[in-house]
Amino acid sequence: MTTYITDRIAIDPDICNGRPIIRGMRITVQTILEFLFAGTPREELLHQYPMLESEDIDACQQFAIKLMEKHYVIHEIKNVA
C-alpha cells in the first residue's frame, strides 16, 4: 500500500525497499538529493529523467527540510563486554 507524505512524495514498502519515492515511480528522494548535492543542474535532472517534473525536485528539497525539523536525541551506548 502506498502512503503519500505529500502530493509528490510517497512510501511504498514494495518499491525501492520502502524508501521515499517520487509519485510512485522508482526514483527515490535520496537519488535526486544526491544529484543536486553533487552539483547536477535541475535542467540536467529533468533531461535525464523525462518523467520527472520541476515540482518533484522542489518536493524532494522540501521533504529534506521537513526531516530536519524533527527533534533528534543522541543516546550513549555503553559497551557491555
Side-chain angles (χ1 to χ4, degrees):
M1 180 174 130
T2 302
T3 301
Y4 277 85
I5 298 169
T6 70
D7 60 335
R8 293 187 177 266
I9 306 296
I11 294 178
D12 185 326
D14 296 326
I15 301 175
C16 296
N17 296 317
R19 291 188 173 164
I21 54 175
I22 301 167
R23 294 185 290 122
M25 297 183 281
R26 295 188 180 277
I27 302 172
T28 65
V29 170
Q30 179 179 351
T31 297
I32 298 305
L33 293 174
E34 287 175 348
F35 274 116
L36 292 172
F37 181 73
T40 305
R42 176 182 293 253
E43 296 75 25
E44 179 64 22
L45 276 172
L46 294 172
H47 177 73
Q48 292 297 324
Y49 295 92
M51 67 292 287
L52 207 60
E53 298 173 359
S54 186
E55 292 82 2
D56 296 327
I57 297 171
D58 294 339
C60 289
Q61 292 173 317
Q62 287 296 97
F63 181 74
I65 290 168
K66 288 289 184 194
L67 283 178
M68 293 300 102
E69 291 176 351
K70 303 291 182 197
H71 178 74
Y72 298 95
V73 177
I74 299 173
H75 296 279
E76 181 181 347
I77 299 174
K78 297 181 181 187
N79 191 355
V80 189

